[in-house]
Amino acid sequence: MTVINQPASSGGFSLSSFRAKFVLVAGAAVLFNLLLSSGVAIFNVQRLSEDVASQVGEGLTSVNEEYLRTYIETTAQRADLLLDGVQAQLQTLSSTIQYLTDNPQTSAAIGESLRRDATLSDQLIYNAAADWAQNAPTAPTAVSVWGYLLDQAGRPTPAAENEIEKSVIMDLLGPSLMATGSPKLQMYYIGSKAASITRSVPYSDQATTLDQIYPGHNEGPSFWDFFFPGIYEGWQSWIANPSLRPTESDIVTTVPYRDATTGSMVVSYFIPNYTPDRSDVSGGVAVDLTLDQLVTLVESVNIAETGFGFLATSNGNVLATNQLGERTLGLVASDREGQGVTGLDRSLRQSTQTSIAELELPGDQNTVLRHIFLQEDGEEVPYLVVLRQLAPTNLWNGQNIAAETMTLGFVVSERDIYHSLISAQGNISEATRSIINYQLIVALLSLLVVLAAIYAVSGRITAGLRALATTARRLQDKDYSVRVAIPGRDEVAAVGVAFNKMAEEISYHTENLEGLVAERTRDLEKANLAISKLNQRLESENFRLGAELDIARKIQMMVLPKEDELGTVERLEIAGYMSPADEVGGDYYDVLHAGSRVKVGIGDVTGHGLESGVLMLMVQSVARGLQESGNSNPREFLEVLNRAIYKNIERTRTDKHLSLAFLDYDDNRVTLSGQHEEVLVIRADGTSERVETMDLGFPVGLESEIGPFIDTLEIAFTTGDFIVLHTDGVTEAEGPDGSLFGFDRMLDSALRHRQGSAEQIKAGIIGDLMSFIGTQKVHDDITLVVMRHK
């Protein structure tokens, strides 16, 4: 036995030695202590500065954001109140004309009274060259009657005369409404579509103006169809179906456009009048409003030095902003030409700033704050965007009416509103960095001093470990007699004792290794023999079970109706298809033919596999026996079959049951009974019917008595008609994307193949189904029966 004693000297020093690691660990501990003590001080200073900066920042941020929220909400309210005031005046005029429409005698009396006043005369002057009639400029309102509403003598038709009289009240109300409230370009009345005269205030030579701007408008058939196609029809559709109205109001507004005569940005608001019985539209009242006030409201927004406001439509077109806003948002302006109007197109979606082009406008009337970055001189500058929707309106876009909500937005540079905070945070951060640098220098000097001291005493401490390392290398060279002797009672000495015991055990096990290997080999041979016998037994059981399943499947397929058997059915073509998901399926279909009576059954046993297949065979046998016994009553047939199946299920102690339905054909009609999937009926003319069976029966085998739940339904079935029966394996088949084939796809497939025979229709549907499934695994049995009347 060789004993290795602890070396007297401290030995050499290398980076891979334990001594070096000891020095490193000890030094790290000292460094940690130094960093911890100085770090606590630094942390407290830094936390204090961060707390101050955070509290100041949170307060300033909260105040600024609350200010911006209040500012934009107040501005939005001012804009909504502005528009509400105009719409209220419009509704006042509309309500007055509606009252006169509902009370024609009052309307006639008012008209008669007003006609006595020469200044309010609606005496029309016919312009033969232009083919329209208009009253004199001395009147407060301009009444225009277009050529298609005049007779050969240039006089208004009776319908046009009625519209003129009904709107005469505007001579009194119009000037007052124009003089009060927000500035308006004009207010006007348009008659019904059959007599679309116009009356506008203030008076203008509108007929001549329209001839110049809109040539051809006087050719008819209606003022509505030429200038505002879709608005009148939209109101009519709301009468028939109020749910089609985009908002709760009847008022419809146009998209903002540049007026051809004044050059101002305007919008028009329309409100309908109805017939006394409210069954149709009888005309409408409108007002043209300049956007100058809204534009001024938006362009006057002043937030710090870089803040501005903008007003945009729901599609992102900016209606109003100042020059700073147009430049900051990266807008590219262009005129959008139209018939007589020019719209201004400055879409956010076409912005040169990516974050603006991708800016999502709010979906409700809650104020939204978003932080974005804009490119300025090659630098990303943070901006704060505040968005608020205005009240929703019904918008006519030139063709139809849809919901529209304009959005008010404020934009301001975060550097601008947080300038003082950013400066203070920078100074605090600079001071904190200086303190940290001083602490690191002190810690580094302290570490160097301590490392020198640790190195001086590490040799003595690690001597015992070097002795253990030398002994371990001898043991690695298979010198199992080596032992280590380390004096002392510390942990290193305890490791030496444990090492010597381990060396003794290695020596013992090495000498006895061959015996242990032979013993383990014998154990493994016994285990392998047992596994081999078990595998042979499992292989035999699997072969037997496979053979039984194959026999069950063959029996199941044998009892299905054969083609020659189906060919003997008079006046009917019947084709069937069944494909089980496993070796044995749980679907059932049969065609029972006895004399003139034909009974077609289809069902689906819960689950699939051997138990489901056996239950399916039971149903087939019982149904065949009942048919042969002459039982022709569909309800009794199902009652007796259910009792028989229920007793068999009790005997076999299975938890299976099935949905089951029968079709009894006799003399151009079928009688449907039992609960199963929907039945598809395709008529000779291509029309289709979906027949629900949920109320015609109850799952078979679930209860002993189902008579109270059974009902029947008679369906006409004549030449050219065909019926499609299926199990849920057809409609619930999955495609590669996880979608279901569904009843609608089956219906479409049946309609495509409806001109063929029953066999061709069946093959067509199955072909479409398999194409839909593709490579997807089939999870359920698939059964389809097509019955066609010859």
Side-chain angles (χ1 to χ4, degrees):
M1 179 183 295
T2 302
V3 179
I4 297 178
N5 295 312
Q6 175 180 345
S9 63
S10 61
F13 181 86
S14 66
L15 293 177
S16 61
S17 65
F18 178 77
R19 184 182 181 187
K21 296 175 182 178
F22 174 80
V23 172
L24 180 62
V25 171
V30 173
L31 176 62
F32 174 76
N33 184 53
L34 290 172
L35 291 177
L36 181 62
S37 58
S38 59
V40 169
I42 294 173
F43 172 76
N44 289 331
V45 172
Q46 190 169 15
R47 186 179 64 177
L48 179 61
S49 65
E50 288 177 352
D51 288 346
V52 172
S54 176
Q55 291 177 7
V56 172
E58 288 177 0
L60 185 57
T61 300
S62 177
V63 169
N64 277 289
E65 291 185 354
E66 186 61 30
Y67 164 73
L68 290 174
R69 287 180 186 272
T70 304
Y71 193 178
I72 197 169
E73 289 169 4
T74 303
T75 306
Q77 288 175 358
R78 290 171 60 193
D80 285 336
L81 287 173
L82 173 67
L83 299 179
D84 288 345
V86 174
Q87 293 179 15
Q89 290 182 313
L90 184 65
Q91 288 174 328
T92 298
L93 181 57
S94 174
S95 298
T96 303
I97 294 179
Q98 184 66 59
Y99 178 82
L100 297 178
T101 302
D102 295 340
N103 299 274
Q105 293 180 347
T106 303
S107 176
I110 292 175
E112 181 64 27
S113 298
L114 294 179
R115 276 193 289 271
R116 297 193 188 106
D117 188 339
T119 62
L120 302 179
S121 174
D122 287 334
Q123 185 66 37
L124 298 176
I125 303 172
Y126 177 58
N127 186 326
D131 191 25
W132 45 254
Q134 188 166 279
N135 59 344
T138 57
T141 61
V143 179
S144 301
V145 183
W146 315 112
Y148 48 84
L149 299 176
L150 299 172
D151 60 18
Q152 293 181 350
R155 293 188 300 269
T157 63
E161 284 284 5
N162 180 61
E163 295 293 346
I164 294 172
E165 181 173 282
K166 183 171 61 177
S167 61
V168 72
I169 194 66
M170 282 187 66
D171 284 342
L172 294 178
L173 291 181
S176 299
L177 292 175
M178 287 294 295
T180 58
S182 301
K184 300 171 280 293
L185 280 181
Q186 64 175 342
M187 299 183 77
Y188 49 98
Y189 171 78
I190 306 175
S192 66
K193 200 166 187 180
S196 52
I197 67 103
T198 62
R199 182 189 289 271
S200 63
V201 61
Y203 185 95
S204 66
D205 190 4
Q206 60 182 5
T208 302
T209 302
L210 293 181
D211 281 350
Q212 294 173 352
I213 301 175
Y214 304 106
H217 79 93
N218 197 35
E219 298 173 4
S222 169
F223 192 90
W224 290 106
D225 291 335
F226 186 89
F227 290 98
F228 310 108
I231 292 183
Y232 202 94
E233 290 77 8
W235 286 333
Q236 288 176 321
S237 69
W238 297 353
I239 296 173
N241 186 0
S243 64
L244 296 177
R245 186 171 57 184
T247 70
E248 295 182 358
S249 174
D250 282 346
I251 295 178
V252 175
T253 181
T254 65
V255 293
Y257 62 90
R258 196 177 301 281
D259 183 64
T261 57
T262 65
S264 300
M265 289 294 291
V266 301
V267 292
S268 297
Y269 291 90
F270 290 86
I271 186 169
N273 290 116
Y274 299 104
T275 58
D277 60 1
R278 302 303 187 267
S279 63
D280 199 1
V281 178
S282 66
V285 180
V287 60
D288 290 344
L289 175 69
T290 67
L291 286 182
D292 292 343
Q293 294 174 80
L294 279 178
V295 171
T296 301
L297 191 65
V298 173
E299 292 181 348
S300 65
V301 169
N302 185 12
I303 308 172
E305 294 182 1
T306 59
F308 59 89
F310 68 89
L311 181 66
T313 59
S314 60
N315 63 1
N317 186 32
V318 177
L319 303 179
T321 189
N322 57 23
Q323 292 182 351
L324 173 62
E326 187 169 307
R327 183 174 62 255
T328 304
L329 294 175
L331 301 179
V332 179
S334 63
D335 285 343
R336 184 174 63 248
E337 297 296 334
Q339 186 178 28
V341 298
T342 300
L344 182 62
D345 190 357
R346 295 185 298 186
S347 177
L348 295 174
R349 304 294 168 254
Q350 304 301 322
S351 170
T352 58
Q353 296 280 3
T354 302
S355 57
I356 295 298
E358 297 175 351
L359 183 65
E360 182 180 353
L361 299 180
D364 53 35
Q365 290 191 300
N366 292 324
T367 302
V368 177
L369 281 79
R370 292 197 172 96
H371 298 272
I372 63 172
F373 288 89
L374 299 180
Q375 292 288 337
E376 293 183 359
D377 300 327
E379 179 187 6
E380 286 193 344
V381 179
Y383 273 81
L384 181 64
V385 180
V386 189
L387 302 171
R388 172 80 178 192
Q389 280 190 350
L390 300 185
T393 60
N394 300 314
L395 178 72
W396 175 71
N397 58 18
Q399 295 178 340
N400 48 44
I401 302 172
E404 166 62 23
T405 307
M406 291 191 291
T407 296
L408 180 65
F410 290 170
V411 181
V412 62
S413 170
E414 292 190 11
R415 293 178 178 176
D416 196 358
I417 59 175
Y418 300 135
H419 176 73
S420 58
L421 173 63
I422 294 173
S423 177
Q425 287 177 334
N427 294 333
I428 294 172
S429 298
E430 182 64 28
T432 303
R433 283 194 296 271
S434 298
I435 294 174
I436 293 175
N437 290 335
Y438 291 141
Q439 289 290 337
L440 289 176
I441 292 173
V442 172
L444 181 61
L445 292 176
S446 300
L447 178 63
L448 293 176
V449 173
V450 173
L451 285 177
I454 292 173
Y455 179 78
V457 299
S458 62
R460 179 70 179 174
I461 296 174
T462 59
L465 295 177
R466 290 199 304 275
L468 283 171
T470 302
T471 307
R473 284 193 294 271
R474 294 280 298 274
L475 188 64
Q476 183 179 8
D477 294 335
K478 299 183 180 180
D479 182 2
Y480 302 123
S481 63
V482 67
R483 300 290 184 271
V484 62
I486 300 176
R489 297 181 181 181
D490 58 11
E491 288 80 359
V492 176
V495 172
V497 173
F499 183 89
N500 290 336
K501 291 182 178 180
M502 179 185 68
E504 292 176 0
E505 291 181 1
I506 291 175
S507 177
Y508 171 78
H509 285 294
T510 301
E511 295 172 357
N512 296 277
L513 181 60
E514 293 183 0
L516 292 173
V517 169
E519 182 179 353
R520 295 297 182 270
T521 302
R522 287 192 296 272
D523 293 341
L524 288 174
E525 288 177 349
K526 291 180 181 179
N528 286 334
L529 180 60
I531 292 171
S532 176
K533 291 180 179 180
L534 180 60
N535 284 336
Q536 290 177 358
R537 181 178 177 185
L538 289 174
E539 182 178 354
S540 175
E541 288 294 325
N542 287 337
F543 180 78
R544 180 185 62 79
L545 181 58
E548 291 178 354
L549 290 174
D550 186 56
I551 292 171
R553 186 176 188 278
K554 287 180 179 179
I555 293 173
Q556 187 180 44
M557 301 306 289
M558 285 171 59
V559 299
L560 293 178
K562 304 298 186 291
E563 289 187 13
D564 55 351
E565 179 184 349
L566 298 178
T568 62
V569 179
E570 296 181 359
R571 303 180 67 181
L572 296 179
E573 293 179 6
I574 302 177
Y577 175 88
M578 186 176 79
S579 176
D582 289 337
E583 291 88 347
V584 181
D587 280 2
Y588 160 78
Y589 89 89
D590 203 356
V591 179
L592 306 174
H593 181 207
S596 63
R597 293 185 298 111
V598 179
K599 181 182 284 287
V600 179
I602 188 165
D604 185 2
V605 181
T606 54
H608 42 83
L610 187 57
E611 284 189 3
S612 298
V614 171
L615 183 54
M616 173 269 199
L617 291 174
M618 291 180 188
V619 173
Q620 194 276 340
S621 298
V622 175
R624 169 64 72 179
L626 289 173
Q627 178 75 358
E628 294 300 328
S629 69
N631 191 332
S632 60
N633 185 306
R635 297 185 62 171
E636 292 180 1
F637 191 97
L638 263 178
E639 282 189 81
V640 175
L641 185 145
N642 175 75
R643 284 197 296 271
I645 296 302
Y646 179 80
K647 291 178 180 179
N648 278 352
I649 289 175
E650 276 193 323
R651 176 174 293 177
T652 57
R653 296 181 180 177
T654 182
D655 60 350
K656 302 287 184 180
H657 58 276
L658 71 152
S659 63
L660 181 62
F662 287 100
L663 277 78
D664 291 86
Y665 168 76
D666 187 20
D667 191 21
N668 290 337
R669 64 183 176 85
V670 294
T671 301
L672 180 62
S673 60
Q675 185 187 96
H676 188 58
E677 303 293 327
E678 287 183 276
V679 176
L680 174 60
V681 181
I682 306 294
R683 299 300 180 186
D685 60 0
T687 59
S688 62
E689 300 175 17
R690 296 171 65 158
V691 182
E692 177 63 62
T693 65
M694 185 58 64
D695 297 331
L696 300 182
F698 195 78
V700 172
L702 199 60
E703 297 289 341
S704 60
E705 292 295 336
I706 64 172
F709 303 101
I710 300 174
D711 202 352
T712 60
L713 176 65
E714 289 192 0
I715 305 171
F717 191 53
T718 60
T719 301
D721 297 347
F722 68 90
I723 294 176
V724 180
L725 306 175
H726 70 284
T727 59
D728 59 4
V730 175
T731 53
E732 295 179 6
E734 292 185 6
D737 61 352
S739 62
L740 303 183
F741 186 68
F743 193 95
D744 290 338
R745 285 193 178 91
M746 185 182 74
L747 170 59
D748 292 342
S749 178
L751 290 174
R752 282 197 303 273
H753 303 289
R754 70 186 181 87
Q755 299 297 338
S757 63
E759 179 62 32
Q760 290 171 334
I761 295 171
K762 177 209 75 176
I765 296 174
I766 293 301
D768 291 343
L769 174 62
M770 293 308 170
S771 297
F772 174 80
I773 293 174
T775 58
Q776 184 73 1
K777 176 179 174 58
V778 178
H779 300 286
D780 200 358
D781 307 329
I782 296 175
T783 300
L784 186 76
V785 179
V786 177
M787 184 170 70
R788 186 182 185 91
H789 198 296
K790 296 180 182 179

